[in-house]
Amino acid sequence: MKKRKRQQQKVNWIAGLIFLVALGIFYSVQEQRFIRQSLVYDIISGNTMGTVYEVKLSYSGITEAGLAELEKAVADVLDEVEGRMSIYISDSEISRFNQAPAGEPFAVSDSLLFVVKQSLRLAEITQGAFDPTVAPLVNLWGFGRDGRRDSAPSDDAIDAAMALVGWDKLTIENGSSLVKAVDGLELDLGAVAKGYAVDRVVELLRSRRIQDFMVEIGGDIYVSGLNSAEDLWRIGIDVPEIAAVPGQRLRGIVNVTDMAIATSGGYRNYIKGSEGRAYSHIIDPQTGRASPAPRASITVVAETCLVADALATALYVLGEDRGIELIESIDGAEALFIVMEGEDRVRDAASSGFHERTSYIRVR
Ligand code: AMP
Ligand code: MG
């Protein structure tokens, strides 16, 4: 009897020990998870192209010196893109092309050539809703380097500017030069340059074998791998109300990875005409008129940020019905329209694959 009792006590004792060890392992795993989840990101940030940029790295394992070196490499890439594609820098490559006369081949860098080629392709796909030669109209409507205006321009002025606009008036010669068909034709890459710059930073990070990151330039984003909670990246989409402060009142959250995401809207950058109408900074190149500034936004996901950026602008011009029709015809791109109706009613409409590609969650 005594022997059996002793054996039983031994079994209990071993079981207790096993339980305690298991408990210890459980808590240490939980603690590890907690430590990983609460890991802060390595962050690189600064200003470029009139806006802010941020690069977030999770699990980079990067040293302080490595991060400082990467910070410099990112800034160099962004400086290069801005120095080639900004119309606000008077001796940028694009500004020099804009001043060049018609008929003369203007040799350009590989990066500008790439963006122009992509832009001409996107102009064709969007049937000119996105048009990289829209600059004279952007200036006329007061959204370019000539400064703001407080009324719509005259029909004559619009016609005169339209004569200088058209992506079919720009050709690429010998694979390395741009030629304009009319004097006064100008490039404005404001609708794609930020997206392109995001893609360039992504390329840089990948070349350093960095897998888990988010790159953002003024709302144009690329996300890769996992965030620091070992999950998809979460991107907030604002309610498109006038003077919305980014991130303050979200309509929804897009959960996504290994994809680019860009949003266009007329609710932040617009002019109020004397006749009481609001005009957005996005111009319809077919009519020469600034699109109305409804309280609406268009978010596009695509494989590259250049494409997402250009399509978001094009879909703003096209509006909901034509925009959704276009995006359905493009492989690898999806769109979400968010529209304010009345004071506080928000509605959204997505292309057929948007929810599959992103798992979008509404918060309001
Ligand atoms: P985003 O913020 O990407 O929608 O780009 C808007 C900017 O692109 C404007 O500020 C203009 O410089 C330029 N833009 C306006 N309308 C168009 C258009 N239809 N096609 C291409 N670029 C445009
Ligand atoms: Mg754009």
Side-chain angles (χ1 to χ4, degrees):
M1 260 320 255
K2 258 191 184 165
K3 198 175 168 196
R4 220 200 263 155
K5 204 172 175 187
R6 228 181 290 132
Q7 261 178 351
Q8 185 62 46
Q9 275 174 346
K10 201 170 165 191
V11 168
N12 285 350
W13 192 81
I14 291 171
L17 196 68
I18 290 172
F19 175 74
L20 280 176
V21 170
L23 201 70
I25 292 173
F26 175 77
Y27 277 112
S28 96
V29 168
Q30 286 305 310
E31 195 187 28
Q32 284 281 336
R33 272 185 68 89
F34 179 74
I35 289 168
R36 280 201 92 171
Q37 283 191 13
S38 58
L39 253 189
V40 279
Y41 292 98
D42 291 308
I43 292 181
I44 293 171
S45 63
N47 295 301
T48 189
M49 291 182 253
T51 185
V52 287
Y53 67 88
E54 186 174 78
V55 178
K56 272 184 179 177
L57 313 176
S58 28
Y59 322 120
S60 65
I62 201 164
T63 61
E64 231 169 86
L67 190 64
E69 189 276 326
L70 186 63
E71 198 162 5
K72 167 90 173 58
V74 168
D76 286 349
V77 164
L78 297 176
D79 283 351
E80 190 222 306
V81 175
E82 189 175 21
R84 297 203 186 287
M85 295 170 208
S86 171
I87 54 169
Y88 297 98
I89 298 175
S90 58
D91 63 347
S92 68
E93 195 174 13
I94 197 173
S95 294
R96 284 184 286 113
F97 169 74
N98 286 348
Q99 286 143 28
E104 271 181 28
F106 185 95
V108 288
S109 63
D110 289 348
S111 42
L112 184 56
L113 187 71
F114 175 81
V115 177
V116 170
K117 270 189 187 164
Q118 292 285 316
S119 296
L120 293 177
R121 184 178 73 86
L122 285 152
E124 188 171 4
I125 292 172
T126 62
Q127 294 173 359
F130 164 82
D131 188 328
T133 69
V134 76
L137 286 165
V138 173
N139 287 333
L140 180 66
W141 279 90
F143 295 107
R145 43 169 208 281
D146 299 344
R148 295 269 159 161
R149 59 183 302 144
D150 53 14
S151 61
S154 69
D155 289 353
D156 285 351
I158 291 173
D159 288 347
M162 288 225 3
L164 309 176
V165 172
W167 59 278
D168 54 339
K169 299 184 180 92
L170 175 69
T171 44
I172 295 170
E173 243 177 44
N174 301 326
S176 62
S177 294
L178 308 181
V179 188
K180 44 176 103 167
V182 289
D183 276 327
L185 180 132
E186 289 184 23
L187 281 171
D188 174 352
L189 299 173
V192 285
K194 280 189 287 158
Y196 169 70
V198 167
D199 292 337
R200 287 284 304 271
V201 174
V202 170
E203 210 175 274
L204 172 73
L205 297 176
R206 293 236 162 100
S207 76
R208 308 279 175 102
R209 304 196 183 289
I210 298 172
Q211 313 277 357
D212 303 298
F213 58 80
M214 164 152 144
V215 177
E216 171 173 7
I217 305 179
D220 285 356
I221 295 171
Y222 191 94
V223 282
S224 170
L226 299 173
N227 67 10
S228 74
E230 296 185 37
D231 210 340
L232 295 175
W233 291 90
R234 294 156 55 82
I235 298 163
I237 310 289
D238 294 321
V239 170
E241 52 202 352
I242 299 292
V245 178
Q248 205 171 63
R249 220 159 81 89
L250 296 182
R251 163 63 170 175
I253 293 169
V254 174
N255 294 278
V256 73
T257 196
D258 298 331
M259 212 171 302
I261 179 160
T263 300
S264 273
Y267 57 100
R268 284 210 184 102
N269 190 3
Y270 61 91
I271 53 170
K272 202 122 192 154
S274 50
E275 63 289 15
R277 288 182 56 182
Y279 299 101
S280 82
H281 64 138
I282 297 172
I283 316 285
D284 181 345
Q286 314 293 324
T287 63
R289 264 129 188 112
S291 302
R295 294 177 301 160
S297 70
I298 291 99
T299 296
V300 172
V301 294
E303 272 143 36
T304 69
C305 204
L306 184 154
V307 168
D309 198 358
L311 290 178
T313 307
L315 263 57
Y316 190 89
V317 169
L318 293 172
E320 191 175 321
D321 294 346
R322 286 161 66 208
I324 298 261
E325 193 182 316
L326 173 72
I327 207 89
E328 296 289 6
S329 73
I330 301 174
D331 273 351
E334 302 292 343
L336 173 74
F337 281 73
I338 300 182
V339 185
M340 293 280 296
E341 285 179 336
E343 256 328 288
D344 215 32
R345 254 174 54 88
V346 194
R347 178 175 69 75
D348 51 38
S351 62
S352 57
F354 187 85
H355 293 286
E356 277 156 48
R357 300 278 302 257
T358 68
S359 66
Y360 168 65
I361 298 166
R362 268 185 213 147
V363 295
R364 153 172 298 109

